[in-house]
C-alpha cells in the first residue's frame, strides 16, 4: 500500500510538472511510466514487459529498489539510460516502435529495460575498474532474462561468451580488463567489445563462483578478499575458459 501511495503521489507531481499535451502515464505495481510518441497499445505492452523485467530483476537479487522507478518514454530520448540519483530510466520512443534509432540496431526493448532496471536495483559498484562491473552485471542479467526474440545491444540476443570471442577476433585482441574503463566511451565496435567482455566476465564469475560472492566483490569487499585472487588472476581464468567456448 505504501508503494502504491508513493506511486500515486509521484504521478501527481509528474503530471503537475509536465505540459498537458506532452505525456500520458501508466502505473504498474512497481513503476511509473510516462510516454509520448507511441500508441497506447505500444505503451501498455511496454509497461507489461517493464513490470515483468522489474519483478525478474528484483527477485534475482532478492531486493526491491528503495524508491519508485520512473520510466520516461519519448521521442526526445534514444539510447535507454538509467539515472541513479533520480531513480529514472529514459527510453527512446523509437525503441518501442521498433524503428531503430540513432544506432539503428535495437529491435526489442525488453532486454534493454532489464539492463537499465538492473543498474538501479543492483546499485553502483564500488569495485573497479571504473564502471566495468556495473555494465557487465547489467549485460549478464539482460541475457539471463531476455525475451526469445531479443536483438538488443550488445550481444543482439546471442550468447555473450561467443559474441565476445567473435568481436575480439575483429580487433585481434581482448582489451585488458584494467583498461576497459578508459575505452568505455568509444563508439562503434570497440564499445561493443568492451560491453561484451564485461558481460562475459561477470557471467563467468557468477556461474563458477556464485552470485553471493560476486555481489560481495561488486559492493567493494575486494577481489582478493572475496575470491582469494586478484583481478589479474581472475581475468586469466576467464580467458582460459573462453578458449573452451566454440564461436563460429
Amino acid at each position: 500500500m505504501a508503494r502504491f501511495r508513493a506511486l500515486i503521489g509521484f504521478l501527481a507531481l509528474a503530471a503537475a510538472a509536465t505540459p498537458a499535451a506532452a505525456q500520458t502515464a501508466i502505473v504498474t505495481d512497481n513503476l511509473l511510466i510516462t510516454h509520448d510518441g507511441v500508441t497506447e497499445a505500444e505503451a501498455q505492452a511496454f509497461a507489461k514487459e517493464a513490470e515483468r523485467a522489474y519483478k525478474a530483476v528484483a527477485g534475482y537479487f532478492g531486493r526491491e529498489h528503495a524508491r519508485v522507478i520512473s520510466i520516461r518514454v519519448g521521442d526526445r530520448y534514444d539510447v535507454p539510460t538509467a539515472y541513479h540519483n533520480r531513480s529514472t530510466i529514459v527510453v527512446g520512443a523509437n525503441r518501442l516502435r521498433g524503428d531503430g534509432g540513432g544506432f539503428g540496431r535495437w529491435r526489442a526493448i525488453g532486454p534493454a529495460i532489464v539492463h537499465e532496471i538492473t543498474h538501479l536495483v543492483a546499485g553502483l559498484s564500488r569495485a573497479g575498474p571504473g564502471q566495468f562491473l556495473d555494465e557487465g552485471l547489467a549485460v549478464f542479467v539482460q541475457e539471463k532474462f531476455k525475451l526469445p526474440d531479443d536483438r538488443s545491444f550488445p550481444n543482439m540476443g546471442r550468447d555473450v561468451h561467443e559474441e565476445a570471442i567473435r568481436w575480439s577476433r575483429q580487433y585481434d585482441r581482448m582489451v585488458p580488463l584494467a583498461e576497459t574503463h578508459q575505452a568505455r566511451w568509444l563508439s562503434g565496435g570497440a564499445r561493443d567489445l568492451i560491453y561484451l567482455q564485461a558481460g562475459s566476465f561477470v557471467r563467468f564469475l557468477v556461474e563458477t563462483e556464485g552470485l553471493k560472492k560476486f555481489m560481495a566483490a561488486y559492493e567493494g569487499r575486494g577481489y582478493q578478499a572475496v575470491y582469494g585472487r586478484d583481478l589479474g588472476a581472475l581475468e586469466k581464468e576467464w580467458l582460459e575458459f573462453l578458449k573452451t567456448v566454440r564461436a563460429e
Side-chain angles (χ1 to χ4, degrees):
M1 182 63 70
R3 178 175 285 271
F4 180 76
R5 286 198 297 268
L7 276 167
I8 295 301
F10 195 54
L11 176 57
L13 288 173
T18 304
Q23 294 199 318
T24 303
I26 300 172
V27 178
T28 70
D29 290 343
N30 297 282
L31 308 169
L32 167 65
I33 301 165
T34 54
H35 63 90
D36 63 58
V38 295
T39 67
E40 186 62 22
E42 288 169 330
Q44 290 290 346
F46 171 73
K48 181 179 179 180
E49 170 52 21
E51 178 66 20
R52 180 202 72 87
Y54 177 83
K55 288 177 178 176
V57 172
Y60 183 62
F61 289 107
R63 65 174 76 165
E64 300 277 345
H65 187 58
R67 298 169 59 189
V68 173
I69 294 177
S70 170
I71 303 177
R72 301 175 184 174
V73 178
D75 282 320
R76 59 189 168 286
Y77 310 120
D78 186 10
V79 178
T81 305
Y83 296 94
H84 290 270
N85 60 336
R86 291 180 281 170
S87 296
T88 297
I89 297 168
V90 299
V91 179
N94 51 6
R95 308 301 166 131
L96 275 67
R97 296 194 301 260
D99 55 4
F103 294 93
R105 293 184 293 174
W106 286 261
R107 301 300 296 178
I109 198 63
I113 204 63
V114 170
H115 184 116
E116 302 308 330
I117 287 174
T118 297
H119 280 314
L120 296 184
V121 173
L124 290 167
S125 172
R126 290 189 287 275
Q131 291 181 278
F132 175 74
L133 287 189
D134 299 71
E135 296 302 340
L137 181 59
V139 171
F140 164 66
V141 178
Q142 167 182 298
E143 181 180 42
K144 188 174 184 65
F145 294 111
K146 69 183 180 181
L147 294 176
D149 61 349
D150 167 50
R151 296 294 181 274
S152 294
F153 178 87
N155 48 326
M156 315 304 281
R158 296 183 283 268
D159 183 272
V160 71
H161 292 320
E162 295 176 13
E163 284 299 285
I165 293 168
R166 292 188 188 102
W167 280 89
S168 70
R169 289 171 181 165
Q170 294 188 39
Y171 284 85
D172 296 319
R173 69 175 187 132
M174 287 283 192
V175 178
L177 299 187
E179 299 175 12
T180 55
H181 66 291
Q182 299 171 347
R184 180 171 172 263
W185 302 109
L186 295 176
S187 61
R191 186 170 181 268
D192 293 61
L193 175 58
I194 289 165
Y195 273 74
L196 289 165
Q197 285 187 211
S200 175
F201 180 68
V202 169
R203 178 177 159 189
F204 168 75
L205 287 182
V206 173
E207 292 184 346
T208 57
E209 300 276 355
L211 181 64
K212 184 177 180 179
K213 272 191 174 183
F214 174 80
M215 291 306 295
Y218 184 89
E219 292 169 356
R221 281 189 53 196
Y223 297 103
Q224 188 71 44
V226 173
Y227 293 107
R229 289 99 78 200
D230 62 15
L231 177 61
L234 292 169
E235 180 176 12
K236 288 179 182 178
E237 292 177 20
W238 165 62
L239 291 173
E240 285 299 311
F241 161 75
L242 288 183
K243 291 178 182 178
T244 70
V245 176
R246 184 174 180 178
E248 300 298 334

